[in-house]
Amino acid sequence: MIRLVPEWARHYEEFWAAIRKRNIWFIKLRYAAILALLVFIVISEYILDFSLTYFQVYSLLIIATAILVYNVILHLVKDRIKEIPGKFNVLHFSLLQILLDLLSLALIVYLTGGAVSPLYYLFIFHMIIGSLILPGKVVYTLAVSIIFYFLIFSLLEFYKYIPHQYLSGYIGTSIYDNFKYILISNFIFSFVILTSVYFANGIARQLYKLEQDLVESFDKLHKAEIEKQKYIMAVVHEIKSPLTVVITYLDIILSKMLGPLPEQIEERIDRAIIRVREAVGLINNVLRISKLRLLDEIVYEEYEIGQLVENVLSARKSNLESKRISTETIDQRKDKITLLGDKFLIEMVISNLLSNAIKYTSHDGNIKIALWIESGYTKLSISDDGIGIPKSDLEKMFGDFFRASNAKRDGFEGTGLGLSIVKQVVEKHHGTIVIDSPSDIGKEGKPGTQATISLPLKQESTDSKLKKHVE
Amino acid sequence: MALIAVIDDDLDIIDASSLVLKTHGFDVVTATNPDDGYRIIKEHKPDLIILDVIMNEPDDGFFLAQKLRKEGISIPIIMYTSVSKALGVQYDKGEMVPVDEFVEKPISPEQLLKKINDLLEAKGKEKK
């Protein structure tokens, strides 16, 4: 079977999708054409008084029925045609449709006057449609066949080998036996057909090529983005190594293995360790973002979100105590339900939200953590009565490096990387996150912020990303 | 006293680890590349190995660990890694990489000592 697939159609998917769409379009258009043919018969008979002979009327009706029959068949089988290049595929299906249509049209044109039929322009229309999908060779072959068909029929009629059919009520006496007319109409017809095919085919080709270039450029961009992320990971990772050495040395000094430390120095080294750990924390965040973007997948394991909340609270105990922030955890879930996801990343999300709450809550403030289940989702909200977030900033806050205007003004330290990761992690788990301000425990002058994450209770068990199941 | 081999291409990590270990009464042998590491392990038969995952190549440490296990050497291995989850490589205990403990850098001296003592204790019990 001829492959038909043009060599420039390198991106098969888009190409096939376009052909499929056109096939459906042809079928729909054909129903309209059948209707048009019937309307033509009625109008020519009763309104325009073309005085069709019985032979013409019955033949046209038979043709209309034949078109209807093959169109219904095409309609029924269209979904069974596959896109396998080597076999009968959707492209052959298009060619088949065009051939059937050309045959029907050839008969209609013959019945309505041949070279003097008002309908022979429709050949041009068919050839333009054909040019949009078929490769050049096939369309040109079709075009030349039509030109020959037209020439041969007009000559056969001219030499009276076959009876001439025409619309006597339309043109009175037909000029099918006028040689000059036959010559000129054939010449112009051939010229128009060939030039239409040439232009339409060229334009279609260009369009496909443009589309493919676009797809290729997009692929390249995507690859470049991945390369960039890999590069960032490598660089950031290189920065992390010396920092870990610094921490290790400072730890050793602080543990007094090398000898006693004056209190003043001990305090500063303690601070130094905190600050370097902060840097390592940031680096880890960047690495995690890159990983999320690079691999676009997470490892699934079972976890209990209440347990993660407890872990995070105990890890942040000293921060909470030093600011005398009181916390309250309200767990409204009836049972402890395990969720599926990357435990480490979810814990990071909770930790991130809690540390934001701590950071932006003043001394003696309050933080409320609530857990509940609502329409198939486990919900976790962390509310504080801190400085809150201005309304104008609420929408922008999930961007990389975003920090609320009042946070910058009030001199809070931070990089703004947190929420961007949090959102990505939650979304990778098919969940959502909403940040509100004021919060449900906000007060006058202390509006507070409330972060609510929703995580689906059930991941589809068929999830292809379900890689690992840890007991 | 227990002998511990530290294999890492970062001289400062070797220095810091040796310092911590020696202060706490361990004997230490060190190497800065997988080949020397293999040599000192064969030569000194340490009680525990601390191995960095990345040396010249990103998975040098793994290959050394695998090589040792293939030869039937069952000395406990603690693997230093600063990659783990961050690089998207999931290293699980026993899965592919036959090491006893993964430790993400930086690790505090106390934590390191605790891991070492736990592993040595477990090994001691096994022998009895």
Side-chain angles (χ1 to χ4, degrees):
Chain A
M1 181 142 278
I2 344 163
R3 276 197 61 181
L4 282 188
V5 185
E7 59 194 283
W8 39 266
R10 276 161 293 152
H11 286 283
Y12 285 144
E13 263 174 56
E14 284 83 30
F15 178 74
W16 291 125
I19 301 297
R20 244 179 208 292
K21 232 191 276 170
R22 294 247 160 83
N23 277 342
I24 294 168
W25 184 56
F26 286 162
I27 291 170
K28 284 183 185 161
L29 209 61
R30 199 169 293 111
Y31 285 119
I34 297 163
L35 195 68
L37 181 59
L38 293 175
V39 169
F40 172 80
I41 298 170
V42 172
I43 289 179
S44 20
E45 191 61 16
Y46 298 105
I47 299 172
L48 297 173
D49 199 17
F50 283 170
S51 0
L52 297 176
T53 61
Y54 282 118
F55 175 71
Q56 283 173 319
V57 172
Y58 288 124
S59 303
L60 286 174
L61 283 175
I62 288 168
I63 292 168
T65 317
I67 298 175
L68 182 68
V69 170
Y70 77 69
N71 201 37
V72 168
I73 295 173
L74 292 170
H75 199 155
L76 292 176
V77 300
K78 75 177 193 315
D79 290 331
R80 293 200 203 158
I81 311 297
K82 297 286 177 274
E83 294 156 5
I84 309 155
K87 295 192 179 155
F88 185 89
N89 59 44
V90 284
L91 208 51
H92 296 99
F93 190 59
S94 306
L95 180 62
L96 177 70
Q97 292 190 60
I98 290 173
L99 286 174
L100 286 168
D101 287 345
L102 285 175
L103 187 69
S104 315
L105 183 62
L107 291 170
I108 294 170
V109 167
Y110 166 70
L111 287 166
T112 53
V116 290
S117 165
L119 299 180
Y120 77 79
Y121 296 105
L122 288 175
F123 277 120
I124 297 162
F125 176 62
H126 273 73
M127 287 323 296
I128 290 174
I129 293 176
S131 305
L132 295 181
I133 43 173
L134 295 169
K137 267 186 220 164
V138 179
V139 189
Y140 282 114
T141 312
L142 284 177
V144 171
S145 318
I146 292 169
I147 290 166
F148 271 104
Y149 155 81
F150 196 68
L151 180 68
I152 289 167
F153 260 69
S154 31
L155 289 177
L156 284 177
E157 287 185 12
F158 177 77
Y159 290 111
K160 302 201 169 58
Y161 287 113
I162 51 171
H164 175 60
Q165 303 287 336
Y166 74 114
L167 307 173
S168 55
Y170 167 53
I171 45 170
T173 11
S174 180
I175 46 169
Y176 72 99
D177 48 358
N178 181 321
F179 191 74
K180 274 185 204 160
Y181 174 77
I182 298 292
L183 195 70
I184 297 297
S185 59
N186 265 288
F187 178 75
I188 300 288
F189 181 69
S190 314
F191 177 75
V192 172
I193 287 265
L194 289 174
T195 45
S196 312
V197 167
Y198 176 76
F199 287 121
N201 206 37
I203 291 166
R205 247 172 112 127
Q206 253 175 351
L207 274 177
Y208 275 121
K209 272 188 185 157
L210 272 179
E211 209 177 312
Q212 281 156 17
D213 286 351
L214 262 177
V215 171
E216 272 170 20
S217 308
F218 182 78
D219 281 352
K220 273 186 201 154
L221 260 179
H222 186 67
K223 278 184 194 134
E225 171 68 18
I226 287 180
E227 284 309 308
K228 198 180 90 192
Q229 294 290 349
K230 280 186 184 161
Y231 177 73
I232 291 174
M233 284 175 89
V235 170
V236 166
H237 195 259
E238 285 304 303
I239 300 171
K240 192 181 163 183
S241 300
L243 287 180
T244 60
V245 176
V246 171
I247 293 177
T248 311
Y249 272 135
L250 291 176
D251 268 336
I252 290 172
I253 296 171
L254 207 60
S255 67
K256 294 173 187 153
M257 277 177 214
L258 301 171
L261 271 187
E263 199 181 320
Q264 275 197 327
I265 296 181
E266 191 177 341
E267 273 172 25
R268 298 326 185 272
I269 288 184
D270 212 21
R271 283 300 301 161
I273 291 184
I274 291 173
R275 298 313 297 266
V276 184
R277 278 194 194 277
E278 232 175 75
V280 172
L282 284 175
I283 287 170
N284 284 338
N285 279 351
V286 173
L287 288 175
R288 275 169 205 140
I289 297 187
S290 296
K291 181 199 160 191
L292 268 182
R293 289 191 183 152
L294 203 58
L295 300 175
D296 207 33
E297 61 180 34
I298 40 175
V299 175
Y300 285 83
E301 54 198 331
E302 281 188 349
Y303 66 93
E304 202 281 294
I305 198 160
Q307 184 58 48
L308 300 188
V309 170
E310 276 174 37
N311 293 351
V312 171
L313 275 174
S314 72
R316 297 280 167 180
K317 209 175 158 200
S318 62
N319 298 80
L320 289 164
E321 279 172 1
S322 70
K323 285 183 95 172
R324 293 192 303 275
I325 294 172
S326 56
T327 58
E328 182 190 12
T329 309
I330 303 167
D331 190 347
Q332 292 173 333
R333 300 173 304 162
K334 286 193 189 96
D335 305 297
K336 291 190 175 1
I337 297 160
T338 53
L339 300 174
L340 272 185
D342 190 326
K343 197 158 100 179
F344 175 81
L345 288 177
I346 296 292
E347 189 169 314
M348 192 187 84
V349 163
I350 301 170
S351 168
N352 227 311
L353 295 177
L354 184 68
S355 71
N356 271 344
I358 297 172
K359 193 186 284 175
Y360 298 115
T361 301
S362 50
H363 279 75
D364 302 307
N366 296 290
I367 289 177
K368 188 186 99 180
I369 298 173
L371 268 171
W372 72 101
I373 287 169
E374 193 181 307
S375 48
Y377 283 84
T378 294
K379 301 225 172 192
L380 165 75
S381 83
I382 299 181
S383 326
D384 62 56
D385 55 357
I387 62 170
I389 299 165
K391 271 234 148 48
S392 57
D393 286 347
L394 274 176
E395 290 193 353
K396 300 179 278 183
M397 54 188 315
F398 291 108
D400 283 0
F401 307 107
F402 171 80
R403 296 184 58 220
S405 46
N406 57 342
K408 282 182 245 176
R409 186 193 62 218
D410 296 353
F412 285 94
E413 285 163 15
T415 58
L417 261 179
L419 276 180
S420 144
I421 311 175
V422 163
K423 186 172 154 79
Q424 287 184 43
V425 171
V426 171
E427 284 175 357
K428 284 277 182 320
H429 284 82
H430 312 288
T432 53
I433 175 161
V434 181
I435 306 273
D436 290 312
S437 182
S439 72
D440 58 347
I441 58 167
K443 300 178 204 76
E444 188 70 37
K446 285 178 178 175
T449 309
Q450 179 172 5
T452 310
I453 56 173
S454 310
L455 293 164
L457 283 177
K458 285 220 163 70
Q459 298 281 350
E460 283 123 65
S461 53
T462 49
D463 199 325
S464 59
K465 285 175 182 167
L466 198 111
K467 280 192 154 177
K468 194 170 84 173
H469 207 87
V470 177
E471 291 82 28
Chain B
M1 201 63 224
L3 176 68
I4 295 176
V6 181
I7 304 163
D8 196 311
D9 66 340
D10 190 326
L11 287 173
D12 285 324
I13 292 285
I14 289 197
D15 176 49
S17 307
S18 307
L19 202 60
V20 171
L21 295 172
K22 281 177 181 163
T23 315
H24 289 82
F26 293 100
D27 291 322
V28 181
V29 282
T30 62
T32 54
N33 61 61
D35 293 338
D36 286 351
Y38 180 72
R39 205 174 39 75
I40 60 162
I41 289 163
K42 293 294 258 191
E43 206 172 295
H44 299 279
K45 307 225 159 27
D47 299 290
L48 188 136
I49 302 165
I50 296 176
L51 185 56
D52 188 23
V53 65
I54 299 180
M55 281 179 269
N56 299 326
E57 298 293 324
D59 37 15
D60 273 359
F62 283 135
F63 288 125
L64 182 56
Q66 273 172 337
K67 190 171 164 189
L68 292 172
R69 291 295 186 250
K70 266 184 205 153
E71 291 182 14
I73 298 170
S74 61
I75 304 169
I77 300 176
I78 291 179
M79 190 164 274
Y80 268 156
T81 158
S82 43
V83 261
S84 82
K85 297 225 173 188
L87 267 183
V89 191
Q90 299 295 330
Y91 307 143
D92 276 311
K93 274 190 214 173
E95 184 188 295
M96 278 162 56
V97 189
V99 305
D100 300 83
E101 195 68 71
F102 278 100
V103 165
E104 182 146 5
K105 286 184 199 168
I107 179 170
S108 69
E110 300 85 55
Q111 280 175 298
L112 180 64
L113 289 167
K114 188 177 179 303
K115 299 222 176 208
I116 291 174
N117 285 325
D118 287 353
L119 280 177
L120 288 176
E121 207 174 291
K123 190 191 164 197
K125 275 181 194 160
E126 253 174 50
K127 275 186 181 167
K128 281 166 205 167

